[in-house]
Amino acid sequence: MTVSDPVRGRATDSGGPVSVSRGTLFWYAFVSTLLVGWFFFGWLVLRQGFIDSVGEVLGTAFALLLAVSVIEAARRHRHGGGPRPG
């Protein structure tokens, strides 16, 4: 699917694969590992129950995603507001 990009004044392909940097992949893996570790720590060490541990990890993951979203929105607003070049 081709979409017109008003900032750059050209058509962009929004259906193709987007490359992700190694640093981003590292942080995805790191945070995922921490969340899985947090789940097992709560479930097996603190003995707080399976559902409680899942809920705590999902809540933490949602809060991290929300924080990343707010930070990225603030960065885009500060740097001109348009989509990031990619």
Side-chain angles (χ1 to χ4, degrees):
M1 174 179 194
T2 303
V3 178
S4 177
D5 187 354
V7 175
R8 295 186 191 120
R10 61 182 174 160
T12 58
D13 183 19
S14 63
V18 178
S19 64
V20 179
S21 70
R22 287 186 181 188
T24 302
L25 290 176
F26 168 78
W27 286 110
Y28 285 165
F30 182 73
V31 170
S32 297
T33 303
L34 284 179
L35 289 174
V36 169
W38 187 251
F39 165 75
F40 282 115
F41 178 75
W43 184 36
L44 299 174
V45 176
L46 298 179
R47 298 180 181 266
Q48 64 185 6
F50 180 80
I51 300 297
D52 290 336
S53 295
V54 169
E56 187 171 325
V57 167
L58 289 178
T60 303
F62 178 74
L64 287 172
L65 287 173
L66 182 63
V68 168
S69 177
V70 168
I71 290 168
E72 186 63 25
R75 287 180 56 198
R76 283 187 185 181
H77 178 71
R78 188 177 59 204
H79 293 287
R84 290 176 46 183

